């Protein structure tokens, strides 16, 4: 049996022993999940919300928004008499991440239990699981079939599938798709908690976020805080790609050191030149990342973000070529709805490709630097911001490499040019 993950546990909730994950490992079925304490009866939605607030749980989809505030906002609408909706967002559009697919394929009931609890807090009678991956959809559908007739959920859960895409996982894109439109972002406001599915207040939460709720329900917010840091409580899932190895998926406490993660992935710090942080969105870190701890405060202090927990290690690749590939991806994957994003990603990708190929001028680099500042915040979603972060961090953190390309003498690119449509793709190695 082929191993596709390293032997480190990936269980989403703290306090559970890790286990070895292998290709073809079994799905946790309803009987096994209930035997472990799953689908525990919930007495008070208000008390559970308070425990989530005390836990400090933040969203795991990328923005790290406090979960209690999101659920509380929709609950407030319910208490005012409005019907409400909750959505489990498993459309993992980030190529460098595989955590959501793993959860949906191996622990679907953990996610569905979290969705049930979120619905109870929000007063929602209708919930959705939103995915694009075919195998994840099959596993969730099988889990929902198991729940039929069990009488333990108390909310109608519907599975919605869409074509995969980088922008398809953005929360307003999920709302549009569930409402029958294209899986593309829409302008904000209104936010989903104000007007979402069927124009009702809607809480859209990443599946890893929801997978933490059963632990908090069972053990309380203080137990959740026993792992992690004061500002970044609990554990999180991190996907590691690059460095000539297959993807690794780990559950770590916030506050673990970057060096500890490298050790788990069996990579020497000496070989690391930098890293893409938070998938493609947060930019390219230089070797200063080696001194960081993996929590929101530390990573933000360096000018990056943990995002979806995807970290791609840059070792032998040229950072200029990596940035060109990422910007090319953003250019191809933008929704085509906002002129600033459609034109801006194309322009930045063209300059980065010219720089990689030794054709760019100093004036081109100056334009790239200017665009990386003035184009921020102009799109309906984060795609253009991600492109700006990539360009800005390349220019500020790797000036020597940029200079070598302007002079046409990059040694790495002279030996082997890095070209990838989906840099550090974690989806080429998946659970069958």
């Amino acid at each position: 049996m082929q191993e596709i993950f390293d032997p480190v546990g990936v269980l989403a909730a703290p306090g559970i022993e890790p286990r070895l994950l292998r290709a073809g490992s079994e799905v946790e079925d309803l009987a096994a999940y209930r035997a472990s304490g799953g689908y525990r009866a919930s007495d008070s939605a208000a008390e559970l919300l308070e425990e989530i607030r005390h836990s400090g749980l933040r969203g795991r989809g990328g923005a790290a928004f406090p979960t209690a505030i999101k659920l509380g906002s929709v609950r407030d609408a319910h208490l005012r008499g409005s019907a409400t909706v909750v959505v489990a967002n498993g459309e993992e559009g980030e190529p460098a991440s595989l955590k959501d697919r793993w959860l949906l394929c191996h622990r679907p009931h953990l996610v569905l239990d979290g969705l049930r609890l979120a619905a109870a807090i929000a007063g929602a009678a209708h919930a959705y699981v939103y995915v694009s991956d075919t195998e994840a959809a099959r596993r969730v559908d099988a889990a929902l079939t198991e729940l039929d007739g069990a009488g333990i959920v108390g909310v109608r859960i519907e599975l919605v599938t869409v074509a995969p895409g980088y922008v398809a996982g953005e929360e307003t894109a999920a709302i549009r798709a569930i409402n029958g439109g294209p899986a593309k972002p829409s302008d904000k406001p209104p936010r989903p908690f104000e007007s979402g599915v069927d124009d009702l207040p809607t809480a859209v939460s990443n599946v890893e976020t929801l997978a933490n709720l059963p632990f908090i329900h069972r053990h309380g917010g203080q137990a959740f805080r026993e792992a992690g840091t004061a500002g970044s409580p609990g554990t999180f899932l991190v996907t590691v790609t690059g460095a000539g190895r297959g993807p690794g998926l780990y559950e770590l406490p916030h506050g673990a050191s970057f060096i500890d993660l490298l050790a788990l992935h069996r990579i020497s710090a000496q070989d690391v030149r930098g890293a893409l942080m938070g998938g493609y969105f947060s930019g390219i870190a230089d070797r200063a990342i080696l001194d960081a701890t993996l929590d929101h405060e530390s990573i933000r202090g360096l000018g990056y973000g943990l995002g979806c927990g995807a970290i791609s290690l840059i070792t032998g690749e040229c950072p200029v070529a990596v940035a060109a590939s990422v910007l090319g991806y953003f250019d191809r994957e933008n929704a085509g709805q906002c002129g600033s994003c459609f034109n801006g990603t194309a322009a930045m990708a063209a300059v980065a490709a010219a720089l990689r190929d030794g054709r760019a001028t100093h004036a081109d680099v100056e334009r790239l630097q200017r665009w990386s500042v003035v184009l921020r915040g102009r799109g309906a979603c984060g795609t253009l911001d991600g492109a700006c972060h990539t360009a800005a961090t390349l220019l500020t953190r790797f000036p020597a490499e940029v200079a070598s390309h302007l002079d046409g003498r990059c040694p790495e690119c002279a030996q082997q040019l890095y070209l990838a449509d989906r840099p550090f793709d974690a989806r080429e190695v998946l659970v069958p």
Side-chain angles (χ1 to χ4, degrees):
M1 187 181 295
Q2 179 193 13
E3 285 191 25
I4 65 169
F5 302 100
D6 286 326
V8 176
V10 186
L11 298 170
I16 304 176
E17 290 298 317
R19 62 183 177 185
L20 176 64
L21 303 177
R22 296 178 182 271
S25 57
E26 294 183 0
V27 184
E28 184 178 46
D29 63 14
L30 177 59
Y33 183 66
R34 292 192 76 179
S36 70
Y39 294 114
R40 180 171 175 263
S42 180
D43 297 326
S44 171
E47 290 179 6
L48 176 56
L49 178 60
E50 190 54 38
E51 289 296 330
I52 295 170
R53 195 183 312 279
H54 180 60
S55 76
L57 175 64
R58 296 186 182 190
R60 303 295 199 251
F65 190 78
T67 303
I69 294 178
K70 178 178 288 189
L71 292 177
S73 297
V74 178
R75 177 175 173 79
D76 288 344
H78 161 68
L79 294 176
R80 293 192 297 269
S82 174
T84 57
V85 178
V86 291
V87 176
N89 188 356
E91 202 300 300
E92 196 168 27
E94 172 55 64
S97 177
L98 53 75
K99 67 183 181 69
D100 295 340
R101 185 180 192 275
W102 190 92
L103 285 167
L104 293 169
C105 285
H106 289 279
R107 302 207 70 197
H109 284 290
L110 180 66
V111 176
L112 293 174
D113 196 5
L115 183 61
R116 169 189 75 105
L117 295 170
I121 292 170
H126 203 160
Y128 295 87
V129 181
Y130 174 76
V131 299
S132 63
D133 182 81
T134 302
E135 184 61 20
R138 186 178 74 82
R139 301 284 180 90
V140 171
D141 187 55
L144 289 173
T145 298
E146 286 187 293
L147 287 174
D148 286 347
I152 56 176
V153 174
V155 58
R156 178 187 168 197
I157 301 177
E158 183 177 339
L159 176 64
V160 175
T161 60
V162 294
Y166 186 78
V167 299
E170 199 269 346
E171 63 176 4
T172 62
I175 297 297
R176 287 182 74 181
I178 293 170
N179 282 336
K184 294 184 177 183
S186 57
D187 289 331
K188 299 173 283 290
R191 298 277 182 179
F193 76 87
E194 298 168 314
S195 178
V197 175
D198 295 331
D199 297 324
L200 298 173
T202 302
V204 182
S205 296
N206 174 260
V207 298
E208 184 191 345
T209 309
L210 295 171
N212 282 282
L213 298 189
F215 179 89
I216 297 171
H217 179 221
R218 186 174 183 180
H219 300 288
Q222 186 57 42
F224 184 84
R225 282 189 168 276
E226 290 177 5
T229 68
S232 300
T235 65
F236 73 108
L237 300 183
V238 56
T239 307
V240 184
T241 53
R245 303 204 59 212
L249 185 59
Y250 307 92
E251 181 183 25
L252 298 175
H254 282 111
S257 74
F258 195 91
I259 294 295
D260 287 344
L261 177 61
L262 293 180
L264 286 173
H265 204 57
R266 298 196 288 277
I267 297 297
S268 169
Q270 300 181 87
D271 297 331
V272 176
R273 189 173 190 174
L276 283 170
M277 297 299 298
Y280 297 169
F281 179 78
S282 190
I284 309 176
D286 58 13
R287 281 180 58 83
I289 198 67
L290 296 173
D291 297 323
T293 54
L294 297 171
D295 54 83
H296 295 290
E297 295 75 21
S298 176
I299 300 301
R300 191 185 305 119
L302 292 175
Y304 308 101
L306 277 180
C308 63
I311 297 175
S312 300
L313 303 174
I314 299 172
T315 51
E317 303 87 359
C318 170
V320 172
V322 169
S325 287
V326 171
L327 287 167
Y329 177 83
F330 282 135
D331 179 31
R332 294 189 301 275
E333 287 290 318
N334 75 75
Q337 299 182 134
C338 307
S340 57
C341 183
F342 181 80
N343 296 314
T345 54
M348 287 190 280
V351 170
L355 183 63
R356 176 198 62 207
D357 298 340
R359 297 181 287 105
T361 65
H362 287 277
D364 290 328
V365 172
E366 289 174 1
R367 279 193 292 272
L368 184 61
Q369 192 281 329
R370 184 173 69 255
W371 290 333
S372 73
V373 175
V374 301
L375 292 177
R376 291 176 189 265
R378 292 198 179 186
C381 68
T383 301
L384 185 55
D385 285 351
C388 290
H389 294 158
T390 301
T393 51
L394 171 68
L395 297 177
T396 59
R397 309 303 167 92
F398 297 94
E401 287 82 353
V402 171
S404 71
H405 276 267
L406 286 171
D407 293 339
R409 52 179 177 80
C410 172
E412 288 83 9
C413 291
Q415 292 180 8
Q416 182 177 0
L417 194 61
Y418 179 83
L419 298 170
D421 287 340
R422 293 163 62 94
F424 306 104
D425 196 347
R427 298 184 183 226
E428 295 178 356
V429 184
L430 294 175
V431 179

